Coordinates of all heavy atoms in Angstrom, one line a residue:
T401 N 99.2 87.1 91.9 CA 100.4 86.4 92.3 C 100.4 86.3 93.8 O 100.1 87.3 94.5 CB 101.6 87.2 91.8 OG1 101.6 87.2 90.4 CG2 102.9 86.6 92.3
H402 N 100.8 85.1 94.3 CA 100.9 85.0 95.8 C 102.0 84.0 96.1 O 102.5 83.3 95.2 CB 99.5 84.5 96.3 CG 99.0 83.3 95.7 ND1 99.1 82.0 96.3 CD2 98.2 83.1 94.6 CE1 98.5 81.1 95.5 NE2 98.0 81.7 94.5
L403 N 102.3 83.9 97.4 CA 103.4 83.0 97.8 C 102.7 81.9 98.6 O 102.0 82.1 99.5 CB 104.3 83.7 98.7 CG 105.1 84.9 98.1 CD1 106.0 85.6 99.1 CD2 106.0 84.4 96.9
T404 N 103.0 80.7 98.1 CA 102.4 79.5 98.8 C 103.5 78.5 99.1 O 104.6 78.7 98.8 CB 101.2 79.0 97.9 OG1 100.5 78.0 98.6 CG2 101.8 78.4 96.6
G405 N 103.1 77.4 99.7 CA 104.1 76.4 99.9 C 103.8 75.5 101.1 O 102.6 75.2 101.4
M406 N 104.8 75.0 101.7 CA 104.7 74.0 102.8 C 106.0 74.0 103.6 O 106.9 74.7 103.1 CB 104.3 72.6 102.3 CG 105.3 72.1 101.3 SD 104.8 70.6 100.5 CE 105.2 69.4 101.7
W407 N 106.1 73.2 104.6 CA 107.4 73.1 105.3 C 108.4 72.6 104.3 O 108.2 71.7 103.5 CB 107.3 72.1 106.5 CG 108.6 71.8 107.1 CD1 109.3 72.6 108.0 CD2 109.5 70.7 106.8 NE1 110.5 72.1 108.2 CE2 110.6 70.9 107.6 CE3 109.4 69.6 106.0 CZ2 111.7 70.0 107.5 CZ3 110.4 68.7 105.9 CH2 111.6 68.9 106.7
A408 N 109.6 73.2 104.3 CA 110.7 72.9 103.4 C 110.5 73.3 102.0 O 111.3 73.0 101.1 CB 111.1 71.4 103.5
H409 N 109.3 73.9 101.7 CA 109.1 74.5 100.4 C 108.3 75.8 100.5 O 107.3 76.0 99.8 CB 108.4 73.5 99.5 CG 109.3 72.4 99.0 ND1 110.1 72.5 98.0 CD2 109.4 71.2 99.5 CE1 110.8 71.4 97.8 NE2 110.4 70.5 98.8
E410 N 108.8 76.7 101.3 CA 108.1 77.9 101.6 C 108.2 78.9 100.4 O 109.0 78.7 99.5 CB 108.6 78.6 102.8 CG 108.5 77.8 104.1 CD 109.6 76.8 104.4 OE1 110.4 76.5 103.4 OE2 109.8 76.4 105.6
T411 N 107.4 79.9 100.4 CA 107.4 81.0 99.5 C 107.5 80.7 98.0 O 108.4 81.3 97.3 CB 108.5 82.1 99.9 OG1 109.8 81.5 100.0 CG2 108.2 82.7 101.3
K412 N 106.8 79.8 97.6 CA 106.7 79.4 96.2 C 105.8 80.4 95.4 O 104.7 80.7 95.9 CB 106.2 78.0 96.0 CG 106.3 77.5 94.6 CD 105.8 76.0 94.6 CE 104.3 76.0 94.4 NZ 103.6 74.7 94.3
I413 N 106.3 81.0 94.3 CA 105.5 82.0 93.6 C 104.4 81.2 92.7 O 104.8 80.3 92.0 CB 106.4 82.8 92.7 CG1 107.4 83.6 93.5 CG2 105.6 83.8 91.8 CD1 108.4 84.4 92.7
V414 N 103.2 81.7 92.9 CA 102.1 81.1 92.1 C 101.4 82.3 91.4 O 101.1 83.3 92.1 CB 101.1 80.3 92.9 CG1 99.9 79.9 92.1 CG2 101.8 79.1 93.5
K415 N 101.2 82.2 90.1 CA 100.5 83.2 89.4 C 99.3 82.6 88.7 O 99.5 81.6 88.0 CB 101.5 83.9 88.4 CG 100.9 85.0 87.6 CD 101.9 85.8 86.9 CE 101.3 86.9 86.1 NZ 102.3 87.9 85.6
E416 N 98.2 83.2 88.8 CA 97.0 82.5 88.2 C 95.9 83.6 87.9 O 95.9 84.7 88.4 CB 96.4 81.5 89.2 CG 96.0 82.2 90.6 CD 95.7 81.2 91.7 OE1 96.6 80.4 92.0 OE2 94.6 81.2 92.2
P417 N 95.1 83.2 86.9 CA 94.0 84.2 86.5 C 93.0 84.4 87.7 O 92.9 83.4 88.5 CB 93.3 83.6 85.3 CG 93.9 82.2 85.2 CD 95.0 82.0 86.1
I418 N 92.4 85.5 87.8 CA 91.4 85.7 88.8 C 90.0 85.3 88.3 O 89.6 85.8 87.3 CB 91.4 87.2 89.3 CG1 92.7 87.5 89.9 CG2 90.3 87.4 90.3 CD1 92.9 88.9 90.4
C419 N 89.5 84.3 88.9 CA 88.2 83.7 88.4 C 87.0 84.2 89.3 O 87.3 84.8 90.4 CB 88.3 82.2 88.4 SG 89.6 81.6 87.5
D420 N 85.8 83.9 88.8 CA 84.7 84.3 89.6 C 84.7 83.7 91.0 O 85.2 82.6 91.1 CB 83.4 83.8 88.9 CG 83.1 84.6 87.6 OD1 83.7 85.8 87.5 OD2 82.4 84.2 86.7
G421 N 84.1 84.4 91.9 CA 84.1 83.8 93.3 C 85.3 84.3 94.1 O 85.8 85.4 93.8
K422 N 85.6 83.6 95.1 CA 86.6 84.1 96.1 C 87.8 83.1 96.2 O 87.6 81.9 96.1 CB 86.0 84.2 97.5 CG 84.9 85.2 97.6 CD 84.4 85.2 99.0 CE 83.2 86.2 99.0 NZ 82.5 86.2 100.3
K423 N 89.0 83.7 96.3 CA 90.2 82.9 96.6 C 90.6 83.4 97.9 O 90.8 84.6 98.2 CB 91.2 83.3 95.5 CG 92.5 82.6 95.7 CD 92.7 81.5 94.7 CE 93.9 80.7 95.1 NZ 94.1 79.5 94.3
V424 N 90.9 82.4 98.8 CA 91.2 82.7 100.2 C 92.6 82.2 100.5 O 92.9 81.1 100.3 CB 90.2 82.1 101.2 CG1 90.5 82.4 102.6 CG2 88.8 82.6 100.8
F425 N 93.4 83.1 101.2 CA 94.7 82.7 101.7 C 94.6 83.0 103.2 O 94.1 84.1 103.5 CB 95.8 83.4 101.2 CG 95.8 83.5 99.7 CD1 95.4 84.6 99.1 CD2 96.3 82.5 98.9 CE1 95.3 84.7 97.7 CE2 96.2 82.5 97.6 CZ 95.7 83.6 97.0
E426 N 95.2 82.2 104.0 CA 95.1 82.5 105.4 C 96.1 81.7 106.3 O 96.7 80.8 105.8 CB 93.7 82.2 105.9 CG 93.4 80.7 105.9 CD 92.0 80.3 106.4 OE1 91.3 81.2 106.9 OE2 91.7 79.1 106.4
S427 N 96.2 82.2 107.5 CA 96.8 81.4 108.5 C 95.8 81.3 109.7 O 95.2 82.4 110.0 CB 98.1 82.1 109.0 OG 98.5 81.5 110.3
R428 N 95.7 80.2 110.3 CA 94.9 80.1 111.5 C 95.6 79.3 112.5 O 94.9 78.6 113.3 CB 93.4 79.7 111.2 CG 93.3 78.6 110.2 CD 91.8 78.4 109.9 NE 91.4 77.1 110.0 CZ 90.3 76.6 109.5 NH1 89.5 77.3 108.8 NH2 90.0 75.3 109.7
V429 N 96.9 79.3 112.5 CA 97.7 78.4 113.4 C 98.6 79.3 114.3 O 99.6 78.8 114.8 CB 98.5 77.4 112.6 CG1 97.5 76.3 112.0 CG2 99.4 78.0 111.6
G430 N 98.3 80.6 114.4 CA 99.1 81.4 115.4 C 100.5 81.8 114.9 O 101.2 82.3 115.7
R431 N 100.8 81.5 113.7 CA 102.1 82.0 113.2 C 101.8 82.4 111.7 O 100.7 82.2 111.2 CB 103.2 81.0 113.3 CG 103.0 79.7 112.7 CD 104.1 78.7 113.0 NE 103.8 77.4 112.3 CZ 104.6 76.4 112.4 NH1 105.6 76.3 113.2 NH2 104.3 75.3 111.7
T432 N 102.8 83.0 111.0 CA 102.5 83.5 109.7 C 102.1 82.4 108.7 O 101.2 82.6 107.9 CB 103.7 84.2 109.2 OG1 104.4 84.9 110.2 CG2 103.4 85.3 108.1

Side-chain angles (χ1 to χ4, degrees):
T401 297
H402 56 97
L403 298 176
T404 187
M406 56 189 278
W407 173 79
H409 285 279
E410 298 87 340
T411 55
K412 187 176 86 177
I413 299 176
V414 174
K415 183 166 174 167
E416 57 194 61
I418 298 179
C419 303
D420 289 339
K422 294 180 185 176
K423 177 105 190 174
V424 177
F425 312 99
E426 65 176 359
S427 164
R428 41 191 231 197
V429 291
R431 56 186 184 185
T432 326

